[in-house]
Amino acid sequence: MKSKRVSGHLLSSAFCLTLSLGTLSGAVQAGVTDKDILNDQATTNDVVSYGLGPRGQRFSPLDTLNTKNVKKMHPVWAFSFGGEKQRGQESQPLVKDGVMYVTASYSRIYAIDVESGEELWQYEARLPDGIMPCCDVINRGAAIYDDLVIFGTLDAILVALDQKTGKVRWRKRMGDYKAGYSFTAAPMIVKGMVVTGISGGEFGIVGKVEARDAKTGELVWSRPTVEGHMGTLNGKDNGITGGEANKTWTGDLWKTGGAATWLGGTYDPDQDLIFMGTGNPAPWNSHLRPGDNLYSSSRLAIDPDTGKIVWHFQTTPHDGWDYDGVNELIAFDYKDRGKTVKAAATADRNGFFYVLNRENGDFIRGFPFVSGITWAKGLDKNGRPIYDEAMRPGNPSDSEDGKKGKTVFAVPSFLGGKNWMPMAFSQETGLFYVPSNEWGMDIWNEPVNYKKGAAYLGSGFTIKSMYDHIGSLKAVDPKTGEIVWEFKNNAPLWGGVLATAGNLVFTGTPEGYLYGFNAKTGEVVYKFNTGSGIVGSPITWEQDGEQYLSIVSGWGGAVPLWGGEVAKKVKDINQGGTVWTFKLPRS
């Protein structure tokens, strides 16, 4: 197929002919509505949101593919992102009207015909020199709304493209990349608005959540996630986050407080609340910033109409280990003594699994989901950690030369009991399927001063293995804390999880395998090697009576960059960049 490059994107000339016929992959394209997004989990012929629905449960009611026939599933096409731009491929594809939209490393996005695997168009952002993504040049996915495909770039720009042509319809800057702002998350659509966070917590930026009119890109509201900063609504001041400055921060440190919202969020239509997690406070050296440092390492419930914070839950107050609280908060219901509990769950980077009342943020229960936690002795009745202060990295000013504080061995490592990789919740089993890692770290504090655009850590670290394995996919009962089953993997797990009504759970490994498990027992019922490490998130949908499954393969992300001794364990894994698509034979 011949292609040509137009205005920073690659446009397929063959695709123009398709457009002139008014059809696309045999189906007329229809605009994606708010209703389509709210119903995404129940409508099995497409995937129009990150997380397979606004709650982010990553559960499909499809059961055509099940434990009895999954071994017959086979690849039908593999699409290469091409070129030398590989690195980590952490994307989750979207599918609408026979077209897949999938992002790739270095801020690229592709439209692919799902029947043939043929490229329809691609767009590649023109990235400036000097971008500062902390944890690889990845992108986790796009959003689709009306006739637009919307995604963010590494230089913190939000771009809306025409679904049919890939041409830019609007473009908005989210932050100054020279100050350390970047963007790697998948945007979220709520009530006709595109809702985004921001990356850059390691550079002393100030986290924020913003909502824009999805059709125009115009800013509706902005909510900083560090107390003391002013929010806005329709261009006017809309209250200071936390009410005032310096309540839980010292001096002017709130001005460079971190709390980056780098993973994006979920939305609960029942309560009409956006759930957004926040990252570490800056700098990492906690002795420089006494106090709880709100709203870092927290989950925030935000009113989508005003951008006001309705409630918050801080998982690691006064964080000294880089235990970002960004991990997805997933709304779910369960029965307790005959009553329905409106709950939400998150598996935190700090190693604890939390169940909250999503109506008010009250703590219901919490428990470890990884072994050997050292930094805390447990959680109190309100879910606040009971610190073991001997396990906090020491203050450099207490040392003889003032250059290095006491080193401690902290479990989990700063890469977390669970990092960004999304877990899944099965409505069939009532279990969460958590991609976790068992590892620890030597960590110490050092002096540091803020400088715009420079790393703002004040800590050093070395990540270490604890057992023969690191990766662990766990089936967790949120009502009891029981680990129902566990799959151990040699290398760290760094990809997302999918659960289906066919009693199946899917995820990938750095060794390149797509695994399928029996959701109830953990038995491996499917295994296929994609040729490169998997750090993406699988999806499934139905087309013409057949169930498809897709996953992006391509090794990279934070582990090889920040993994220390652990990185040596995965140094021989090949890079790649391929979308693999599978289905059952019709027979």
Side-chain angles (χ1 to χ4, degrees):
M1 176 189 295
K2 295 182 179 179
S3 302
K4 58 182 179 180
R5 188 170 295 277
V6 180
S7 301
H9 67 269
L10 194 66
L11 177 63
S12 161
S13 56
F15 186 46
C16 294
L17 176 61
T18 306
L19 291 179
S20 68
L21 298 176
T23 61
L24 197 60
S25 296
V28 177
Q29 279 196 308
V32 173
T33 66
D34 292 283
K35 184 178 179 181
D36 292 334
I37 293 167
L38 291 175
N39 294 333
D40 193 23
Q41 189 173 62
T43 54
T44 57
N45 61 331
D46 56 26
V47 177
V48 297
S49 63
Y50 188 77
L52 283 73
R55 296 174 181 84
Q57 291 184 350
R58 296 186 178 273
F59 173 78
S60 171
L62 285 171
D63 60 4
T64 304
L65 188 65
N66 54 59
T67 52
K68 294 180 180 178
N69 60 23
V70 67
K71 289 183 179 179
K72 298 179 181 178
M73 185 175 75
H74 64 278
V76 290
W77 54 261
F79 176 88
S80 172
F81 294 140
E84 297 178 355
K85 292 186 174 181
Q86 304 296 338
R87 305 280 289 271
Q89 309 294 350
E90 293 186 0
S91 183
Q92 179 221 288
L94 301 173
V95 174
K96 175 65 175 172
D97 293 331
V99 179
M100 177 181 290
Y101 304 95
V102 59
T103 60
S105 56
Y106 293 97
S107 305
R108 295 172 290 165
I109 186 169
Y110 299 80
I112 306 167
D113 185 310
V114 299
E115 288 187 357
S116 65
E118 194 169 319
E119 179 183 304
L120 302 175
W121 56 256
Q122 68 164 281
Y123 172 88
E124 181 176 338
R126 292 193 180 102
L127 296 174
D129 294 332
I131 57 171
M132 293 177 284
C134 113
C135 306
D136 208 357
V137 290
I138 59 93
N139 189 287
R140 296 189 176 96
I144 50 181
Y145 187 72
D146 195 36
D147 61 348
L148 300 175
V149 183
I150 305 167
F151 85 120
T153 64
L154 286 167
D155 54 344
I157 290 175
L158 196 61
V159 183
L161 307 173
D162 187 291
Q163 274 189 33
K164 294 181 180 179
T165 66
K167 289 185 177 180
V168 175
R169 296 269 288 274
W170 58 256
R171 192 171 179 270
K172 301 292 179 181
R173 181 170 295 282
M174 294 180 281
D176 179 7
Y177 73 89
K178 294 180 181 178
Y181 286 93
S182 59
F183 189 80
T184 56
M188 176 173 54
I189 302 294
V190 178
K191 293 184 167 183
M193 300 179 294
V194 54
V195 178
T196 57
I198 200 73
S199 303
E202 268 59 66
F203 297 95
I205 60 92
V206 173
K208 58 183 177 179
V209 185
E210 293 186 330
R212 290 176 168 80
D213 184 302
K215 293 185 179 181
T216 67
E218 295 304 312
L219 186 66
V220 177
W221 54 258
S222 179
R223 175 51 53 192
T225 53
V226 177
E227 69 178 18
H229 296 267
M230 179 64 72
T232 65
L233 174 64
N234 297 322
K236 298 179 180 179
D237 288 352
N238 190 35
I240 294 174
T241 298
E244 61 184 277
N246 295 122
K247 283 197 298 185
T248 63
W249 291 82
T250 300
D252 288 339
L253 282 169
W254 61 277
K255 295 180 179 179
T256 51
T261 47
W262 57 264
L263 190 54
T266 58
Y267 173 65
D268 175 24
D270 295 340
Q271 305 304 317
D272 192 22
L273 291 173
I274 294 167
F275 298 140
M276 187 74 68
T278 65
N280 58 283
W284 287 19
N285 183 344
S286 62
H287 299 282
L288 297 175
R289 44 171 175 76
D292 282 357
N293 311 135
L294 291 172
Y295 289 99
S296 67
S297 303
S298 300
R299 304 308 191 282
L300 308 180
I302 298 174
D303 182 335
D305 297 323
T306 66
K308 290 287 187 76
I309 296 173
V310 177
W311 57 256
H312 78 277
F313 184 87
Q314 190 172 35
T315 46
T316 313
H318 195 215
D319 178 12
W321 304 267
D322 188 39
Y323 290 152
D324 294 44
V326 297
N327 290 355
E328 68 283 3
L329 183 64
I330 298 176
F332 74 109
D333 296 339
Y334 69 91
K335 294 289 186 180
D336 182 19
R337 290 169 285 191
K339 294 184 178 180
T340 299
V341 178
K342 297 283 186 181
T346 188
D348 198 82
R349 196 148 147 175
N350 68 19
F352 288 97
F353 191 101
Y354 298 83
V355 180
L356 308 178
N357 182 321
R358 69 179 190 263
E359 298 171 298
N360 53 27
D362 286 352
F363 176 71
I364 296 176
R365 69 182 62 87
F367 45 84
F369 66 94
V370 294
S371 61
I373 292 174
T374 62
W375 68 276
K377 300 175 182 178
L379 304 175
D380 69 15
K381 65 179 182 178
N382 297 314
R384 187 180 178 90
I386 303 167
Y387 290 110
D388 184 341
E389 287 299 336
M391 289 294 103
R392 182 179 292 272
N395 191 342
S397 64
D398 293 338
S399 65
E400 290 186 7
D401 59 7
K403 293 182 179 180
K404 182 178 179 180
K406 181 187 72 172
T407 299
V408 300
F409 184 70
V411 178
S413 81
F414 76 91
L415 288 179
K418 175 184 172 300
N419 201 277
W420 78 274
M421 52 279 192
M423 63 185 181
F425 171 72
S426 171
Q427 296 180 6
E428 296 289 320
T429 64
L431 302 177
F432 281 90
Y433 299 93
V434 183
S436 69
N437 290 302
E438 306 276 357
W439 45 18
M441 63 178 173
D442 287 332
I443 183 170
W444 59 91
N445 287 154
E446 303 165 345
V448 67
N449 292 303
Y450 174 76
K451 181 181 178 181
K452 180 180 177 180
Y456 189 40
L457 302 184
S459 288
F461 47 82
T462 302
I463 297 179
K464 297 181 177 181
S465 302
M466 296 169 58
Y467 310 111
D468 292 337
H469 72 285
I470 299 174
S472 170
L473 179 66
K474 296 181 172 74
V476 177
D477 187 333
K479 299 185 295 296
T480 64
E482 178 189 2
I483 306 298
V484 177
W485 58 259
E486 177 184 12
F487 171 79
K488 296 178 181 178
N489 194 71
N490 180 51
L493 294 183
W494 212 251
V497 184
L498 170 72
T500 79
N503 192 35
L504 292 169
V505 170
F506 291 97
T507 196
T509 69
E511 292 88 345
Y513 287 101
L514 169 66
Y515 276 99
F517 302 91
N518 183 308
K520 295 177 181 176
T521 67
E523 176 191 359
V524 175
V525 292
Y526 187 81
K527 186 178 179 181
F528 178 89
N529 197 311
T530 63
S532 180
I534 294 175
V535 293
S537 298
I539 63 168
T540 189
W541 75 98
E542 189 174 48
Q543 184 165 312
D544 299 327
E546 296 180 295
Q547 187 174 348
Y548 286 73
L549 185 142
S550 281
I551 194 164
V552 179
S553 169
W555 172 240
V559 174
L561 295 177
W562 293 77
E565 292 184 9
V566 168
K568 298 175 184 177
K569 200 167 187 175
V570 294
K571 65 182 177 63
D572 295 325
I573 294 174
N574 292 325
Q575 290 191 357
T578 303
V579 186
W580 285 89
T581 295
F582 305 79
K583 71 175 181 179
L584 282 175
R586 281 192 180 274
S587 59

